[in-house]
Amino acid sequence: MENQKKYEDIIKTLHENCKLSLEQLAAMYKMDASEVAAVIDDMEKNGTILGYGAIVNWDKLDSSNRVTAYIELKVTPQRNQGFDRIAERIYQYPEVKSLNLMSGSYDFGVTVEGDSLKSISLFISEHLAPMESVVSTATHFVLKRYKMDGNILSAPASDDREVISL
């Protein structure tokens, strides 16, 4: 049980900062670097760790025309297959960045990215909406990001004005 706790702690730490070295992780959790490497290798092989990457504020790049949309999908689940078969069809598209089965007023929450509003609209109208099990879609375009993956993207400007009181 204690090993399980260490594994969970290591994965939480890597999720927050995947740039830490094996030696730094080993020191944090009082383990050998080779033991940490084995734990990480095991988590990569069993699918716990799916990949590594940077959290990017794309708005800081002048050349970025990236558009993100959240799409609510209402579907009719297929007999004897539930929602899984529908999900498998949807997540195959490269535009789909995340797909979640939801509780509430819609069945799937889909996050898509494209080069323009038009490209996302075409993707929805040509690929998602025509699926035989899709009952309806509602699309929400991201206008501005304030926080992503726990990171504040646009902190308010500091107010350097002097306070004057009477």
Side-chain angles (χ1 to χ4, degrees), residues 78 83-93 96 99 127-128 130-133:
Q78 297 177 347
F83 294 101
D84 293 344
R85 181 63 53 99
I86 301 165
E88 288 171 11
R89 285 189 61 203
I90 295 169
Y91 67 61
Q92 299 298 324
Y93 291 106
V96 175
L99 174 65
H127 298 287
L128 293 182
M131 286 184 178
E132 65 277 353
S133 52

Side-chain angles (χ1 to χ4, degrees), residues 149-166:
D149 293 331
N151 296 285
I152 296 171
L153 301 180
S154 57
S158 62
D159 187 354
D160 294 333
R161 295 179 291 174
E162 291 185 37
V163 177
I164 299 175
S165 61
L166 298 173

Side-chain angles (χ1 to χ4, degrees), residues 64-77:
S64 178
N65 293 326
R66 181 182 233 96
V67 177
T68 304
Y70 300 113
I71 304 163
E72 300 172 2
L73 283 182
K74 289 184 184 181
V75 300
T76 303

